[in-house]
Amino acid sequence: MTMTTIDATYQDIFKTVNGRAYLAALTKVDKLISGQSFLYGKQGAHSMVIDIRLTESIDQPILQQALNQALKRYPYLISKMVLKNSSYFLAYNELPMVVTKTDELRRLGGPETNSHLVDVTFDQQRLFISYHHALADGRGIMPFVNTLLYDYFSIKNQDFPEIPGINLDDDPMEPDEISEPFEYLPPVNANSADIPEIDHHGYQLIETKYHLNDRSYRHELVIDQASFMKYAKAHDATPAIAVSIMVSQAIQRIYPDISEPIVTNMASDLRSGIMNEHTFRNCVGSVALPINTEVLTDDQFTEAATHFRSLIRAHKMQDSLRAEAR
C-alpha cells in the first residue's frame, strides 16, 4: 500500500538549500501553461515511462534511500497539481514519494501515488520511472534519472565516484530551473514572415487510446542495428528520419490510392527558442515531416532524407521555435 503519513525522511528534503529554494519559488509560480494538452485533453497521456533493465534484482530499501537522496537535488519533482478557478497550479505535496514493487503502471496524480506526478516502481530487475508530461518532458526528467541511478549504485556498492554531468544532492539548482517556460516569451523578430511554414495537412496516425486494463505500454521491433545504422548513414538519414521514411512507405504500400501526404511527427525541444535552457518543464514541440511520393530506389530515399533534414533545420531556427511556442 502507498504510505499516506508524513514521513520525517521525506520532509528532510525541504530542509536542504534546494528544498528551501523550491518552496520559496513555488509561491511565485503562476498557473501551469506548458503541457496544456496533458492537463485538459481527454486523450492526454497519463504518463511517460522510462524503462531501465538492470542485471540483478533491485533492492527496494536502497532504491527508496536513493530516491530520497536524489529528490534533495530535484525537490520540484514532488509537486502536485491543484485546480483553482479552472486553472492548474503547482503545489507542495506533503505526502512522500514511495518506491513500490509492482508490474503494473499506476495512474499519476491520484491516491495510488500520493498525488505525485512522478512514480518510481520496479519489478525484479526492471526499474520504471513514470512522469506526467504536464510536469516535465524527457529532457527535464533525465537529469533526475541519472542522479537516481548514481545514488542507487553508490549506496549499494558503498562507492561514490566522481562522474561528470551527474548532479549530486548538494549541487545548487539553476536560477531558472523551476520557471514556467511559456509565461514571458521573448518577441519574434520582425523578419519572422520569412520563417518557412510546414504543412501539417495529410494522413497522420492517431494516438493509441488509453485502456485502464492494458498492462503493456510498449511494442518492440527487432532491427539489426549494424546494418540499419550503416544504411541510414549512407543515405543522409538520422535513425529517426530513416524510420519515418520506412513507416510512411509501408503505409503507402498498404494504401496505394491515398491522395494526401503521409505525415510523421518528430518531437522537438523548444528551449533555445524561448531562451530558457535550464527549465525542467515540458518544452516539447513537434515538427511535421510530410511525404507524398513513393521511395523505390536508394537515390529517392536519400532525396527524402535530405529534404527532411532541411525541414528540421528550418524548424530549429530560433524564431521558428519561438513562433511555435506562442
Side-chain angles (χ1 to χ4, degrees), residues 224-238 242-243 245-246 295-302 305:
D224 181 83
Q225 180 179 352
S227 60
F228 172 75
M229 293 300 296
K230 181 179 180 180
Y231 184 86
K233 184 177 181 180
H235 292 80
D236 196 32
T238 64
V243 170
I245 297 173
M246 291 175 182
V295 176
L296 302 176
T297 67
D298 284 352
D299 287 344
Q300 289 173 332
F301 195 102
T302 301

Side-chain angles (χ1 to χ4, degrees), residues 41-326:
K42 291 183 179 180
Q43 298 299 332
H46 288 247
S47 70
M48 306 295 288
V49 183
I50 298 173
D51 181 346
I52 301 170
R53 305 186 187 192
L54 307 185
T55 58
E56 55 187 27
S57 296
I58 294 170
D59 187 307
Q60 184 170 355
I62 292 180
L63 182 57
Q64 181 67 61
Q65 185 179 352
L67 175 60
N68 291 340
Q69 189 79 357
L71 288 174
K72 291 180 179 179
R73 172 56 182 81
Y74 302 98
Y76 46 76
L77 292 179
I78 63 91
S79 300
K80 63 180 179 179
M81 290 190 297
V82 176
L83 185 61
K84 295 181 180 180
N85 299 323
S86 301
S87 296
Y88 283 99
F89 295 78
L90 285 182
Y92 158 68
N93 190 343
E94 66 179 13
L95 298 178
M97 190 181 295
V98 182
V99 169
T100 304
K101 185 179 186 300
T102 176
D103 62 354
E104 296 187 24
L105 299 176
R106 305 189 295 179
R107 188 182 293 272
L108 299 177
E112 284 185 299
T113 60
N114 281 342
S115 299
H116 283 285
L117 301 173
V118 176
D119 193 26
V120 178
T121 58
F122 73 98
D123 181 36
Q124 304 302 327
Q125 298 172 258
R126 298 179 70 180
L127 173 62
F128 304 95
I129 295 94
S130 307
Y131 61 99
H132 200 295
H133 231 176
L135 179 69
D137 59 13
R139 178 173 165 184
I141 199 71
M142 279 309 298
F144 161 74
V145 174
N146 293 335
T147 298
L148 176 64
L149 290 173
Y150 172 88
D151 287 337
Y152 176 78
F153 288 110
S154 295
I155 295 170
K156 185 177 178 63
N157 300 321
Q158 285 300 293
D159 181 25
F160 301 85
E162 293 186 9
I163 302 179
I166 299 294
N167 289 321
L168 304 181
D169 63 292
D170 55 352
D171 289 334
M173 294 189 297
E174 298 289 343
D176 54 356
E177 195 167 331
I178 194 175
S179 62
E180 165 58 57
F182 300 131
E183 185 175 12
Y184 303 108
L185 291 176
V188 178
N189 291 336
N191 61 354
S192 59
D194 298 331
I195 299 174
E197 293 187 3
I198 298 175
D199 186 4
H200 290 254
H201 184 68
Y203 295 102
Q204 304 189 46
L205 296 180
I206 60 172
E207 294 184 3
T208 302
K209 293 184 178 180
Y210 179 87
H211 299 289
L212 185 60
N213 294 325
D214 287 351
R215 295 177 59 182
S216 175
Y217 62 91
R218 63 188 293 154
H219 299 278
E220 296 188 9
L221 179 65
V222 178
I223 299 175
D224 181 83
Q225 180 179 352
S227 60
F228 172 75
M229 293 300 296
K230 181 179 180 180
Y231 184 86
K233 184 177 181 180
H235 292 80
D236 196 32
T238 64
I241 288 176
V243 170
S244 296
I245 297 173
M246 291 175 182
V247 170
S248 67
Q249 292 308 291
I251 295 172
Q252 192 169 62
R253 290 181 185 181
I254 297 173
Y255 302 100
D257 297 329
I258 57 178
S259 57
E260 300 291 342
I262 299 169
V263 182
T264 57
N265 290 277
M266 190 177 298
S268 65
D269 189 337
L270 303 178
R271 284 173 174 80
S272 63
I274 62 176
M275 305 295 286
N276 188 340
E277 291 286 351
H278 297 126
T279 181
F280 80 101
R281 301 296 309 286
N282 189 333
C283 290
V284 174
S286 178
V287 54
L289 304 175
I291 186 168
N292 54 7
T293 59
E294 285 190 298
V295 176
L296 302 176
T297 67
D298 284 352
D299 287 344
Q300 289 173 332
F301 195 102
T302 301
E303 183 179 352
T306 303
H307 177 58
F308 278 6
R309 279 187 178 275
S310 68
L311 292 179
I312 293 171
R313 280 196 300 271
H315 174 79
K316 288 184 175 180
M317 293 169 53
Q318 189 175 74
D319 277 341
S320 178
L321 295 175
R322 196 171 297 173
E324 181 176 347
R326 293 178 176 276

